[in-house]
Amino acid sequence: LKPMKTSQSLPSSWMKIIGTCIMSRYYLDPNIQAEAVRTIWAISSKSLKYKTDVTTHNGIDAIVKSMSHYPMDLRVQMYGAGALSCLCASERHAVQVRLVQKSVPCIFSALELETNDGCVEVWAIRALYGLSLAPGGIMQSSIEKSHAKHLPLKISNIMSRHKSNVDIQLWACRLQWVLLEELTDQSQIGGAQEYGNPAFTIFLDIAMVVINAMVNHRDDEMLQEVACGFLLSVILSDARVETLLSEKLQIISDSILNSMKCHPTSATIQLYGCRAIINICKVCSDTESVGLSVDQLGGIDVIVRSMQEHTDDFFLQAEACGA
């Protein structure tokens, strides 16, 4: 596992050796299983070639078999979810993960483990995020649909349980954002019921959990960017939520403006913020009160500062003028 020179590479048989000679022979030893899966994870993270070696030589099957055999072993579950998340980071290999029977149920089972530090859950979330970006989204198969129905609330509960874990908050926000976008697309073709009813109300509640993450990790710029993007997506998701949004619009707008204040150099946060202000005014019947609230929070100054800070960003300038 030591760093290798660029001219060196492992033979393609490395996955066969681990899978056939080690994991199959010592399937009753959880320690060997854990270290073998950990090794697959470490090697496959080095390059796309090694990821392909895993998918070509039944590596996914070996990982899934080990996770299924030791569902309560935290090391096997953490390394297994980590290895699958590594593969799912590549769209081509994420498709291969989905094709392996029991791979998706294994990830969801890992998500159910309530660890003290979230060491398993974070990798399960990352794996699901990778799957959600693969062709077809996370709800492609009937198995995934049955699991995904309650996924937004499940992820929200994990976020609430691990408030101090910034990695969980970041990847959970990313996954919630994709799930919301997928729900919006599904609603346009009449399929939003897959997430339960009322679907959009769930994401309004999740928005409050995301806002808590923004408060707890105010200085993490990447988390703030993703959280602002998610909140903007909530506002844009459906015009029918106007009455539901009204009581939470104030909290959402406050959170976005505070993020804009704390991260003036992030063009992404400034762009999302300006776009959110525009659309909050669109969905809210009482536009005057929203504008007054934004002004009281120093929103106009924040918008002007964004324009001054990012003079070369055409899209941000346009959104700022619109706001």
Side-chain angles (χ1 to χ4, degrees):
L1 298 182
K2 293 180 179 179
M4 296 180 292
K5 296 179 181 178
T6 54
S7 60
Q8 294 177 318
S9 64
L10 293 172
S12 298
S13 59
W14 71 268
M15 186 60 243
K16 286 184 179 180
I17 295 171
I18 294 175
T20 304
C21 301
I22 299 177
M23 296 181 74
S24 296
R25 184 177 299 176
Y26 300 101
Y27 68 93
L28 292 178
D29 191 323
N31 293 320
I32 292 179
Q33 294 296 309
E35 290 304 320
V37 175
R38 182 187 183 189
T39 303
I40 294 173
W41 180 11
I43 295 176
S44 61
S45 67
K46 298 294 184 181
S47 70
L48 288 174
K49 173 191 176 299
Y50 292 142
K51 287 182 175 66
T52 301
D53 289 342
V54 174
T55 58
T56 303
H57 300 292
N58 301 318
I60 301 173
D61 293 273
I63 295 168
V64 169
K65 183 177 179 181
S66 184
M67 293 178 73
S68 299
H69 197 74
Y70 296 100
M72 302 307 294
D73 189 297
L74 295 186
R75 289 194 307 154
V76 171
Q77 294 300 311
M78 180 177 70
Y79 297 148
L84 292 177
S85 74
C86 179
L87 294 171
C88 289
S90 161
E91 182 179 291
R92 173 161 55 96
H93 298 100
V95 172
Q96 296 299 313
V97 170
R98 179 184 276 133
L99 292 175
V100 173
Q101 189 177 16
K102 294 184 178 180
S103 61
V104 174
C106 269
I107 296 173
F108 278 100
S109 295
L111 197 66
E112 297 285 353
L113 293 175
E114 297 184 1
T115 62
N116 292 329
D117 57 0
C119 62
V120 176
E121 295 94 312
V122 66
W123 295 111
I125 290 172
R126 291 182 67 160
L128 290 173
Y129 176 72
L131 286 174
S132 70
L133 297 182
I138 203 170
M139 288 172 50
Q140 186 180 52
S141 70
S142 58
I143 295 176
E144 288 168 328
K145 288 179 180 179
S146 65
H147 283 289
K149 182 176 181 180
H150 305 291
L151 184 56
L153 281 179
K154 190 183 301 293
I155 299 298
S156 178
N157 291 334
I158 292 174
M159 293 177 71
S160 298
R161 198 163 60 244
H162 299 284
K163 295 179 180 179
S164 62
N165 189 323
V166 67
D167 287 332
I168 283 184
Q169 302 301 316
L170 173 62
W171 288 98
C173 284
R174 282 176 169 161
L175 180 55
Q176 296 284 34
W177 190 359
V178 174
L179 292 174
L180 176 56
E181 293 289 338
E182 189 164 320
L183 171 61
T184 304
D185 292 340
Q186 288 287 328
S187 69
Q188 294 171 358
I189 57 174
Q193 65 271 19
E194 298 291 355
Y195 282 105
N197 185 39
F200 286 104
T201 308
I202 292 173
F203 281 97
L204 288 171
D205 294 333
I206 292 172
M208 299 300 106
V209 179
V210 171
I211 287 171
N212 285 333
M214 296 172 73
V215 173
N216 293 331
H217 303 280
R218 194 180 303 275
D219 295 331
D220 193 298
E221 187 172 290
M222 188 174 296
L223 173 59
Q224 295 291 323
E225 288 182 358
V226 176
C228 285
F230 170 78
L231 294 178
L232 173 60
S233 191
V234 169
I235 296 168
L236 296 173
S237 60
D238 197 323
R240 292 172 296 178
V241 301
E242 176 182 342
T243 56
L244 296 170
L245 266 174
S246 58
E247 61 186 63
K248 296 176 179 177
L249 274 174
Q250 189 70 57
I251 303 173
I252 292 175
S253 60
D254 290 359
S255 301
I256 292 176
L257 278 173
N258 285 330
S259 185
M260 293 175 72
K261 288 180 183 178
C262 292
H263 300 278
T265 59
S266 170
T268 301
I269 291 177
Q270 304 303 314
L271 179 66
Y272 289 156
C274 291
R275 192 171 295 170
I277 292 172
I278 294 172
N279 286 280
I280 285 174
C281 291
K282 284 183 179 179
V283 301
C284 183
S285 56
D286 190 1
T287 305
E288 184 177 349
S289 64
V290 174
L292 181 61
S293 173
V294 169
D295 186 31
Q296 289 174 342
L297 285 169
I300 296 176
D301 290 336
V302 172
I303 295 169
V304 171
R305 195 179 310 127
S306 293
M307 299 178 73
Q308 295 172 336
E309 183 77 28
H310 304 276
T311 55
D312 296 331
D313 192 317
F314 172 80
F315 293 103
L316 176 53
Q317 292 291 320
E319 296 290 348
C321 287

